[in-house]
Amino acid sequence: QAIADPTLAEMGKNLKEAMKMLEDSQRRTEEENGKKLVSGDIPGPLQGSGQDMVSILQLVQNLMHGDEDEEPQSPRIQNIGEQGHMALLGHSLGAYISTLDKEKLRKLTTRILSDTTLWLCRIFRYENGCAYFHEEEREGLAKICRLAIHSRYEDFVVDGFNVLYNKKPVIYLSAAARPGLGQYLCNQLGLPFPCLCRVPCNTMFGSQHQMDVAFLEKLIKDDVERGRLPLLLVANAGTAAVGHTDKIGRLKELCEQYGIWLHVEGVNLATLALGYVSSSVLAATKCDSMTMTPGPWLGLPAVPAVTLYKHDDPALTLVAGLTSNKPADKLRALPLWLSLQYLGLDGIVERIKHACQLSQRLQESLKKVNYIKILVEDELSSPVVVFRFFRELPGSDPVFKAVPAPNMTPSAVGRERHSCDALNRWLGEQLKQLVPASGLTVMDLEADGTCVRFSPLMTAAVLGTRGEDVDQLVACIQSKLPVLSCTLQLREEFKQEVEGTAGLLYVDDPNWPGIGVVRYEHANDDKSTLKSDPEGEKIHAGLLKKLNELESDLTFKIGPEYKSMKSCLYVGMASDDIDVVELVETIAATAREIEENSRLLENMTEVVRKGIQEAQVELQKANEERLLEEGVLRQIPVVGSVLNWFSPVQPLQKGRTFNLTAGSLESTEPIYVYKAQGAGVTPPPTPSGTRTKQRLPGQKPFKRSLRGSDALSETSSVSHIEDLEKVEHLSGGPEQMTLEASSTEGHPGAPSPRHADQTEALKKGALRPEVDYPQVEGLESLR
């Protein structure tokens, strides 16, 4: 039985080879038939003598991939290269190594741990450091906090929380730190939330995502005066959102002044392995500890995170949990130990350098693209590119002609986000689908709104991002810009037109990236409640069907109103200049037509129901009259037949006919007497509210007229108009021809030859009465 997935086959092959290398003697199979379970109640593949490795791996594959008939959501397994197989092999090797005798195990684990620590400290320029390997990325910081508490509170081991209660510790976090980091630390350390201090970022000078050092110093002084103990500061070398680096050098000086432990984390720490490192990131090598994630940087799956730290007391590190005497804890470094050897120093530097080059390539390309704003701190030090679409609309306030600054009013920021956030969210989702190898993410920033982030250090090695993917990403951005610009320009016009049209209500849904959202308010609509509206849902469903039948370039969707249960019509994005007036009028007229047709059907249903009831009453009266006329004796079966034989009754045909058009119940006597049915009342014309507009051949609905366009010459425009007029004359019918003939005859100007011929023909036809007389005589004979 063959393995369908080559990754699992390769993994099984590597594991098998590892077992052969580790086993000293040939494996002996022991058959223990006497120990087999006699009961057959055990379900699954345990029945029998067991399964071979290929069958077991096939079962694991089926469990991983699930039902193949389901729609594919994503690639089933990430692309794992040889270095990935080495990392995965390390976990299995660790389990086999743990079976060695204690002395050999101690020597081997110590060698693996010391080698890996030394290599990481040399690669990332962190001299004389120790390493702690952990699966949870935040776990290393929690252990560092525990080490700082043990270092600053000498009696903590004996007195416990009483020492902390008398002098509360303070942990300082940046406002741009990862969400949930402070709560995680408090939960792990058993500290109350007031022990956290949120340090704001710069508001006047510097990056909006950098920690305000002056404000931090003020906070530290205030805490010291209140009798608290400033314990630890978490700085960022590349924030989680936009990759900005704090002023680590100044923060280190401040921490040394007040005896605060400085911990640094962030994606920019990977650049420490490169030949050129910016001064702000290089200052992180002097901090007390740092947390790094080499797995995403190098494309290594299932590799632990690493926290490098400097401390001289092994007893305190053992109490804090940073070091351990258990071989299993030391073997956590084995996957990274194998992978670093496989890659070598050149391979490690090449992967990090490639990711930084990708970000610089995208940044340089986006500078040449209009309406794309890049949020960067330092082009050389930040390998993270964050950008967003922003269009300066003509006639808008000057406050909107740039990315919103911190001194903008809340209303101005809200209006700007309302216009661009949904469009940027749509742009990010489109780019993620078109270029999946880019690893883009869409995020919401407090100061800037919705942005798109490109962080190749965290994704490029895993996804295999290349320079061609960056070029394709830029091309896709440029292809989407006309749609974004056109939609943004038409939004305000659409809102004004909807608000000025009776029967339509503009719905402000900030999450919709299209032109806008509108709701038709029918006659029975209760505006005071937000409950579901079945009649409105029916009207909007019909409206959606009618608009989609027009085959325009716009997309229409139906859904619930924002924070409501009522149905609305969502108008999609526009790729070309749209006639908003025609669009809104068509929506209003079509919805009104659907509502009137619905009412007409309901009224006709009610009329038919009343007519049936009236007909039943009339038939009952007719039966009673017949009984009175014929007498009781004729109703007896035998006697009635004899009387009818001697004295037959002349039956009178009495019936009722229901006129659907007039809604009236009439007698059927004229039908039987005169052999003809009445014509009744002419039905009312079907309401038609769709705006009729003269379109050029090939022009789609809702497009603006091309007559004034520079793309068409004057002669071509005139020829299109003449063709349109010819079609109108031919489709006008004889009535229009008669009107044209009479108007031409009465006009003092000379008519055209074609019109004169039509007029003469009509006159000759009018002077031939013999054509109409036979028809009249025929009708008289019928009467």
Side-chain angles (χ1 to χ4, degrees):
Q1 189 176 5
I3 299 296
D5 196 300
T7 303
L8 287 176
E10 188 72 12
M11 189 185 305
K13 177 183 176 182
N14 291 339
L15 294 177
K16 212 167 187 178
E17 292 176 355
M19 287 187 292
K20 289 180 180 179
M21 288 186 293
L22 291 174
E23 290 174 349
D24 296 334
S25 58
Q26 186 178 3
R27 181 181 178 183
R28 294 177 297 176
T29 304
E30 297 180 0
E31 298 182 359
E32 299 178 354
N33 298 326
K35 298 181 180 180
K36 289 183 180 180
L37 293 176
V38 181
S39 174
D41 297 334
I42 305 298
L46 292 185
Q47 302 294 337
S49 59
Q51 306 289 329
D52 58 353
M53 181 177 291
V54 175
S55 301
I56 296 174
L57 290 178
Q58 182 71 46
L59 176 62
V60 174
Q61 175 189 339
N62 295 335
L63 295 175
M64 289 171 56
H65 299 163
D67 190 1
E68 295 294 341
D69 296 335
E70 298 178 356
E71 297 182 0
Q73 301 293 332
S74 61
R76 297 185 299 180
I77 193 168
Q78 71 181 42
N79 185 19
I80 301 175
E82 284 291 330
Q83 75 276 9
H85 283 292
M86 293 298 296
L88 297 176
L89 188 61
H91 292 273
S92 299
L93 286 175
Y96 286 111
I97 290 174
S98 63
T99 60
L100 298 175
D101 60 90
K102 292 184 178 181
E103 187 62 26
K104 289 184 178 180
L105 180 62
R106 185 186 63 81
K107 291 182 179 180
L108 181 58
T109 54
T110 303
R111 170 68 184 274
I112 292 173
L113 184 62
S114 61
D115 284 353
T116 311
T117 302
L118 178 62
W119 295 341
L120 291 175
C121 289
R122 293 291 176 86
I123 292 172
F124 297 102
R125 309 186 184 194
Y126 195 80
E127 298 296 333
N128 301 323
C130 302
Y132 172 65
F133 300 90
H134 46 93
E135 302 297 333
E136 167 63 38
E137 186 176 346
R138 300 172 297 181
E139 182 185 351
L141 179 56
K143 296 293 179 64
I144 290 295
C145 290
R146 188 172 284 113
L147 175 62
I149 291 176
H150 282 282
S151 301
R152 297 298 300 275
Y153 295 93
E154 297 179 357
D155 299 332
F156 180 74
V157 178
V158 179
D159 297 336
F161 70 91
N162 288 326
V163 181
L164 303 181
Y165 180 79
N166 296 329
K167 199 171 186 178
K168 295 180 180 178
V170 182
I171 300 174
Y172 301 93
L173 296 175
S174 171
R178 286 180 293 168
L181 181 61
Q183 289 81 349
Y184 173 82
L185 292 177
C186 289
N187 293 333
Q188 294 295 318
L189 301 173
L191 297 177
F193 285 164
C195 290
L196 295 176
C197 182
R198 180 184 172 95
V199 182
C201 295
N202 295 324
T203 55
M204 299 299 295
F205 304 101
S207 170
Q208 301 176 17
H209 304 276
Q210 279 184 341
M211 193 183 302
D212 192 337
V213 181
F215 200 90
L216 171 63
E217 186 174 5
K218 181 179 179 300
L219 292 174
I220 293 174
K221 291 180 179 180
D222 293 343
D223 290 332
V224 172
E225 292 176 358
R226 294 178 184 178
R228 299 180 178 180
L229 179 64
L231 181 68
L232 183 138
L233 170 65
V234 182
N236 292 304
T239 56
V242 295
H244 287 193
T245 303
D246 292 326
K247 298 180 177 64
I248 300 178
R250 292 184 58 190
L251 293 177
K252 177 59 179 175
E253 296 174 359
L254 192 62
C255 290
E256 289 178 349
Q257 181 181 352
Y258 290 93
I260 303 174
W261 186 288
L262 178 60
H263 179 84
V264 181
E265 62 179 20
V267 67
N268 291 355
L269 292 176
T271 60
L272 290 172
L274 303 180
Y276 172 79
V277 187
S278 64
S279 58
S280 58
V281 179
L282 188 60
T285 59
K286 305 300 181 182
C287 64
D288 297 301
S289 60
M290 65 168 65
T291 296
M292 300 183 299
T293 55
W297 299 347
L298 305 177
L300 304 175
V303 166
V306 184
T307 295
L308 300 179
Y309 63 95
K310 296 177 181 178
H311 201 270
D312 298 331
D313 193 345
L316 291 182
T317 57
L318 183 62
V319 172
L322 291 170
T323 56
S324 174
N325 295 324
K326 297 179 180 179
D329 295 337
K330 295 181 180 181
L331 285 175
R332 289 179 186 172
L334 182 58
L336 196 55
W337 184 74
L338 295 173
S339 301
L340 293 178
Q341 293 184 75
Y342 181 84
L343 292 174
L345 181 60
D346 294 340
I348 296 170
V349 174
E350 179 61 30
R351 278 164 173 75
I352 298 175
K353 185 178 179 180
H354 173 68
C356 295
Q357 290 175 347
L358 290 176
S359 63
Q360 293 177 6
R361 185 171 185 168
L362 177 62
Q363 198 164 156
E364 293 296 329
S365 301
L366 290 181
K367 287 180 181 179
K368 305 173 185 178
V369 180
N370 295 328
Y371 312 126
I372 294 295
K373 302 292 182 180
I374 305 176
L375 289 75
V376 292
E377 170 204 2
D378 186 358
E379 299 177 6
L380 298 176
S381 65
S382 179
V384 181
V385 182
V386 179
F387 61 92
R388 74 191 306 265
F389 164 77
F390 187 81
R391 175 77 185 271
E392 299 174 4
L393 294 179
S396 60
D397 297 337
V399 75
F400 300 117
K401 293 186 178 180
V403 176
N407 56 358
M408 289 178 60
T409 60
S411 61
V413 175
R415 288 171 57 189
E416 190 274 340
R417 288 185 179 180
H418 174 77
S419 301
C420 292
D421 280 4
L423 298 179
N424 280 282
R425 192 174 296 108
W426 175 85
L427 174 63
E429 295 299 331
Q430 289 290 317
L431 295 177
K432 287 167 61 177
Q433 296 178 6
L434 295 174
V435 193
S438 61
L440 294 177
T441 55
V442 182
M443 60 180 181
D444 293 324
L445 298 180
E446 184 177 356
D448 303 294
T450 303
C451 301
V452 183
R453 177 178 61 196
F454 176 66
S455 182
L457 268 175
M458 300 299 293
T459 60
V462 176
L463 299 177
T465 311
R466 301 173 301 171
E468 294 78 5
D469 298 322
V470 174
D471 298 338
Q472 183 185 359
L473 179 63
V474 176
C476 292
I477 293 174
Q478 291 176 336
S479 66
K480 298 298 179 182
L481 284 179
V483 180
L484 295 169
S485 300
C486 187
T487 302
L488 185 60
Q489 287 179 339
L490 296 176
R491 273 187 164 187
E492 188 63 29
E493 183 181 356
F494 179 79
K495 179 180 179 181
Q496 295 176 359
E497 288 295 331
V498 170
E499 291 177 348
T501 304
L504 295 183
L505 175 66
Y506 181 80
V507 180
D508 189 9
D509 190 347
N511 296 322
W512 177 246
I515 296 178
V517 186
V518 63
R519 181 161 63 89
Y520 177 72
E521 295 181 314
H522 54 91
N524 299 328
D525 190 6
D526 188 1
K527 304 178 181 62
S528 62
T529 180
L530 297 179
K531 295 181 179 179
S532 60
D533 183 16
E535 184 176 354
E537 293 178 2
K538 184 178 180 181
I539 294 175
H540 284 87
L543 177 61
L544 178 66
K545 182 179 179 182
K546 289 279 187 182
L547 293 174
N548 287 330
E549 290 176 354
L550 296 178
E551 296 182 355
S552 64
D553 290 336
L554 291 175
T555 57
F556 301 93
K557 294 183 180 180
I558 192 171
E561 181 185 342
Y562 182 60
K563 295 182 180 180
S564 172
M565 296 292 293
K566 295 184 178 180
S567 297
C568 297
L569 182 70
Y570 289 75
V571 185
M573 306 190 72
S575 59
D576 201 353
D577 198 7
I578 299 297
D579 191 346
V580 178
V581 178
E582 180 190 0
L583 172 63
V584 175
E585 289 184 3
T586 303
I587 292 174
T590 306
R592 197 178 301 114
E593 176 183 343
I594 294 173
E595 183 184 11
E596 292 175 357
N597 289 340
S598 177
R599 288 183 184 176
L600 184 63
L601 183 61
E602 291 177 359
N603 294 338
M604 184 171 292
T605 304
E606 183 66 20
V607 169
V608 170
R609 186 180 63 81
K610 292 181 178 179
I612 292 174
Q613 294 177 353
E614 186 178 350
Q616 289 177 347
V617 174
E618 293 288 339
L619 290 175
Q620 186 176 0
K621 289 181 179 180
N623 290 332
E624 293 177 355
E625 292 177 358
R626 184 171 62 85
L627 181 61
L628 293 176
E629 291 176 0
E630 296 177 356
V632 180
L633 293 176
R634 293 184 182 272
Q635 309 305 320
I636 301 174
V638 179
V639 177
S641 60
V642 174
L643 289 176
N644 290 333
W645 183 70
F646 281 106
S647 176
V649 179
Q650 296 294 332
L652 181 61
Q653 297 290 341
K654 287 185 179 182
R656 297 292 184 269
T657 177
F658 182 70
N659 193 335
L660 286 174
T661 305
S664 60
L665 193 67
E666 302 173 356
S667 176
T668 58
E669 185 176 357
I671 298 177
Y672 295 103
V673 174
Y674 302 106
K675 309 297 183 185
Q677 189 171 358
V681 183
T682 305
T686 303
S688 178
T690 305
R691 181 186 177 191
T692 58
K693 177 183 176 182
Q694 296 179 353
R695 295 190 181 91
L696 300 178
Q699 184 179 355
K700 291 188 177 182
F702 311 132
K703 289 293 185 69
R704 293 190 190 273
S705 178
L706 301 177
R707 295 182 180 182
S709 176
D710 296 336
L712 294 177
S713 63
E714 184 178 356
T715 55
S716 62
S717 300
V718 173
S719 63
H720 282 308
I721 298 171
E722 290 180 354
D723 294 340
L724 191 61
E725 291 176 351
K726 289 179 182 180
V727 175
E728 293 174 353
H729 284 303
L730 293 175
S731 62
E735 296 180 2
Q736 185 175 354
M737 293 171 63
T738 307
L739 292 175
E740 289 180 356
S742 60
S743 62
T744 307
E745 182 181 2
H747 197 274
S752 61
R754 180 172 58 87
H755 288 180
D757 296 340
Q758 292 178 357
T759 307
E760 292 298 328
L762 290 173
K763 287 181 179 179
K764 291 179 182 180
L767 295 177
R768 295 172 60 187
E770 66 272 14
V771 178
D772 296 329
Y773 286 156
Q775 298 178 3
V776 177
E777 292 176 358
L779 291 176
E780 292 295 335
S781 64
L782 287 175
R783 293 179 181 175

